PDB file of all heavy atoms in Angstrom:
ATOM      1  N   PRO A  33      95.632  96.977  93.282  1.00  0.00           N
ATOM      2  CA  PRO A  33      94.194  97.211  93.302  1.00  0.00           C
ATOM      3  C   PRO A  33      93.596  98.376  94.064  1.00  0.00           C
ATOM      4  O   PRO A  33      92.394  98.664  93.882  1.00  0.00           O
ATOM      5  CB  PRO A  33      93.750  95.944  93.826  1.00  0.00           C
ATOM      6  CG  PRO A  33      94.806  95.424  94.757  1.00  0.00           C
ATOM      7  CD  PRO A  33      96.117  96.012  94.159  1.00  0.00           C
ATOM      8  N   ASP A  35      94.944  99.201  97.713  1.00  0.00           N
ATOM      9  CA  ASP A  35      94.990  98.670  99.003  1.00  0.00           C
ATOM     10  C   ASP A  35      95.753  99.773 100.048  1.00  0.00           C
ATOM     11  O   ASP A  35      96.608  99.230 100.719  1.00  0.00           O
ATOM     12  CB  ASP A  35      95.888  97.363  98.896  1.00  0.00           C
ATOM     13  CG  ASP A  35      95.775  96.697 100.247  1.00  0.00           C
ATOM     14  OD1 ASP A  35      94.819  96.777 101.001  1.00  0.00           O
ATOM     15  OD2 ASP A  35      96.824  95.809 100.586  1.00  0.00           O
ATOM     16  N   CYS A  56      90.156 110.677 109.467  1.00  0.00           N
ATOM     17  CA  CYS A  56      90.257 109.822 108.316  1.00  0.00           C
ATOM     18  C   CYS A  56      88.843 109.731 107.567  1.00  0.00           C
ATOM     19  O   CYS A  56      87.831 109.597 108.273  1.00  0.00           O
ATOM     20  CB  CYS A  56      90.490 108.339 108.871  1.00  0.00           C
ATOM     21  SG  CYS A  56      92.126 108.331 109.525  1.00  0.00           S
ATOM     22  N   VAL A  70      98.104 120.611 112.687  1.00  0.00           N
ATOM     23  CA  VAL A  70      98.648 121.353 113.808  1.00  0.00           C
ATOM     24  C   VAL A  70      97.967 122.654 113.717  1.00  0.00           C
ATOM     25  O   VAL A  70      97.944 123.446 112.639  1.00  0.00           O
ATOM     26  CB  VAL A  70     100.173 121.338 113.721  1.00  0.00           C
ATOM     27  CG1 VAL A  70     100.745 122.348 114.831  1.00  0.00           C
ATOM     28  CG2 VAL A  70     100.954 120.067 113.637  1.00  0.00           C
ATOM     29  N   LEU A  79      99.536 123.855 103.504  1.00  0.00           N
ATOM     30  CA  LEU A  79      99.124 122.531 103.318  1.00  0.00           C
ATOM     31  C   LEU A  79     100.216 121.689 102.600  1.00  0.00           C
ATOM     32  O   LEU A  79     100.749 122.026 101.626  1.00  0.00           O
ATOM     33  CB  LEU A  79      97.895 122.663 102.117  1.00  0.00           C
ATOM     34  CG  LEU A  79      97.396 121.388 101.665  1.00  0.00           C
ATOM     35  CD1 LEU A  79      96.646 120.597 102.717  1.00  0.00           C
ATOM     36  CD2 LEU A  79      96.373 121.680 100.549  1.00  0.00           C
ATOM     37  N   TRP A  93     113.470  92.887  91.587  1.00  0.00           N
ATOM     38  CA  TRP A  93     113.987  93.146  92.813  1.00  0.00           C
ATOM     39  C   TRP A  93     115.069  92.230  93.340  1.00  0.00           C
ATOM     40  O   TRP A  93     115.012  91.093  93.068  1.00  0.00           O
ATOM     41  CB  TRP A  93     112.758  93.136  93.776  1.00  0.00           C
ATOM     42  CG  TRP A  93     111.819  94.291  93.608  1.00  0.00           C
ATOM     43  CD1 TRP A  93     110.970  94.520  92.497  1.00  0.00           C
ATOM     44  CD2 TRP A  93     111.873  95.487  94.425  1.00  0.00           C
ATOM     45  NE1 TRP A  93     110.373  95.689  92.696  1.00  0.00           N
ATOM     46  CE2 TRP A  93     110.856  96.371  93.845  1.00  0.00           C
ATOM     47  CE3 TRP A  93     112.508  96.040  95.479  1.00  0.00           C
ATOM     48  CZ2 TRP A  93     110.588  97.648  94.336  1.00  0.00           C
ATOM     49  CZ3 TRP A  93     112.159  97.125  96.075  1.00  0.00           C
ATOM     50  CH2 TRP A  93     111.264  97.976  95.442  1.00  0.00           C
ATOM     51  N   GLU A 177     106.387 115.157  97.054  1.00  0.00           N
ATOM     52  CA  GLU A 177     106.873 114.143  96.095  1.00  0.00           C
ATOM     53  C   GLU A 177     108.425 114.091  95.931  1.00  0.00           C
ATOM     54  O   GLU A 177     108.969 115.143  96.243  1.00  0.00           O
ATOM     55  CB  GLU A 177     106.208 114.309  94.687  1.00  0.00           C
ATOM     56  CG  GLU A 177     104.680 114.024  94.628  1.00  0.00           C
ATOM     57  CD  GLU A 177     104.307 112.554  94.376  1.00  0.00           C
ATOM     58  OE1 GLU A 177     105.166 111.817  94.339  1.00  0.00           O
ATOM     59  OE2 GLU A 177     103.099 112.415  93.995  1.00  0.00           O
ATOM     60  N   GLU A 223      98.060 108.076  63.495  1.00  0.00           N
ATOM     61  CA  GLU A 223      97.777 109.476  63.656  1.00  0.00           C
ATOM     62  C   GLU A 223      98.200 110.101  64.992  1.00  0.00           C
ATOM     63  O   GLU A 223      98.686 111.211  65.088  1.00  0.00           O
ATOM     64  CB  GLU A 223      96.133 109.678  63.622  1.00  0.00           C
ATOM     65  CG  GLU A 223      95.718 111.065  63.575  1.00  0.00           C
ATOM     66  CD  GLU A 223      96.177 111.901  62.432  1.00  0.00           C
ATOM     67  OE1 GLU A 223      96.504 111.246  61.314  1.00  0.00           O
ATOM     68  OE2 GLU A 223      96.265 113.067  62.508  1.00  0.00           O
ATOM     69  N   MET A 227     100.669 113.208  65.754  1.00  0.00           N
ATOM     70  CA  MET A 227     100.418 114.247  66.602  1.00  0.00           C
ATOM     71  C   MET A 227     101.486 114.418  67.602  1.00  0.00           C
ATOM     72  O   MET A 227     101.885 115.621  68.001  1.00  0.00           O
ATOM     73  CB  MET A 227      99.081 113.873  67.340  1.00  0.00           C
ATOM     74  CG  MET A 227      97.833 113.976  66.487  1.00  0.00           C
ATOM     75  SD  MET A 227      96.374 113.391  67.303  1.00  0.00           S
ATOM     76  CE  MET A 227      95.989 114.696  68.377  1.00  0.00           C
ATOM     77  N   GLY A 247      99.559 103.043  75.017  1.00  0.00           N
ATOM     78  CA  GLY A 247      99.934 102.092  76.049  1.00  0.00           C
ATOM     79  C   GLY A 247      99.437 100.650  76.012  1.00  0.00           C
ATOM     80  O   GLY A 247     100.174  99.773  76.177  1.00  0.00           O
ATOM     81  N   ARG A 250      94.034  96.035  72.366  1.00  0.00           N
ATOM     82  CA  ARG A 250      93.444  94.696  72.437  1.00  0.00           C
ATOM     83  C   ARG A 250      92.319  94.643  71.450  1.00  0.00           C
ATOM     84  O   ARG A 250      91.467  95.561  71.336  1.00  0.00           O
ATOM     85  CB  ARG A 250      92.943  94.443  73.802  1.00  0.00           C
ATOM     86  CG  ARG A 250      92.011  95.269  74.363  1.00  0.00           C
ATOM     87  CD  ARG A 250      91.683  95.057  75.949  1.00  0.00           C
ATOM     88  NE  ARG A 250      90.491  95.791  76.381  1.00  0.00           N
ATOM     89  CZ  ARG A 250      90.500  97.075  76.799  1.00  0.00           C
ATOM     90  NH1 ARG A 250      91.720  97.650  76.806  1.00  0.00           N
ATOM     91  NH2 ARG A 250      89.481  97.767  77.202  1.00  0.00           N
ATOM     92  N   PRO A 332     120.605 121.364  99.753  1.00  0.00           N
ATOM     93  CA  PRO A 332     121.257 121.907  98.773  1.00  0.00           C
ATOM     94  C   PRO A 332     120.569 123.335  98.271  1.00  0.00           C
ATOM     95  O   PRO A 332     119.332 123.463  98.435  1.00  0.00           O
ATOM     96  CB  PRO A 332     121.249 121.006  97.468  1.00  0.00           C
ATOM     97  CG  PRO A 332     119.969 120.214  97.856  1.00  0.00           C
ATOM     98  CD  PRO A 332     119.869 120.099  99.335  1.00  0.00           C
ATOM     99  N   ALA A 341     107.005 114.680  85.321  1.00  0.00           N
ATOM    100  CA  ALA A 341     105.905 113.833  85.959  1.00  0.00           C
ATOM    101  C   ALA A 341     104.688 114.750  86.237  1.00  0.00           C
ATOM    102  O   ALA A 341     104.653 115.886  86.128  1.00  0.00           O
ATOM    103  CB  ALA A 341     106.478 113.121  87.113  1.00  0.00           C
ATOM    104  N   VAL A 377     118.049 108.249 104.020  1.00  0.00           N
ATOM    105  CA  VAL A 377     117.465 108.659 105.301  1.00  0.00           C
ATOM    106  C   VAL A 377     117.861 110.057 105.685  1.00  0.00           C
ATOM    107  O   VAL A 377     117.027 110.795 106.144  1.00  0.00           O
ATOM    108  CB  VAL A 377     117.776 107.709 106.519  1.00  0.00           C
ATOM    109  CG1 VAL A 377     117.235 108.261 107.779  1.00  0.00           C
ATOM    110  CG2 VAL A 377     117.226 106.276 106.240  1.00  0.00           C
ATOM    111  N   ALA A 384     112.213 116.965 106.356  1.00  0.00           N
ATOM    112  CA  ALA A 384     111.294 117.246 107.421  1.00  0.00           C
ATOM    113  C   ALA A 384     111.921 118.633 107.961  1.00  0.00           C
ATOM    114  O   ALA A 384     110.879 119.437 108.418  1.00  0.00           O
ATOM    115  CB  ALA A 384     111.632 116.175 108.456  1.00  0.00           C
TER     116      ALA A 384
END
Side-chain angles (χ1 to χ4, degrees):
D35 186 29
C56 295
V70 177
L79 176 64
W93 287 77
E177 295 266 17
E223 185 63 22
M227 293 172 70
R250 60 187 186 276
V377 175

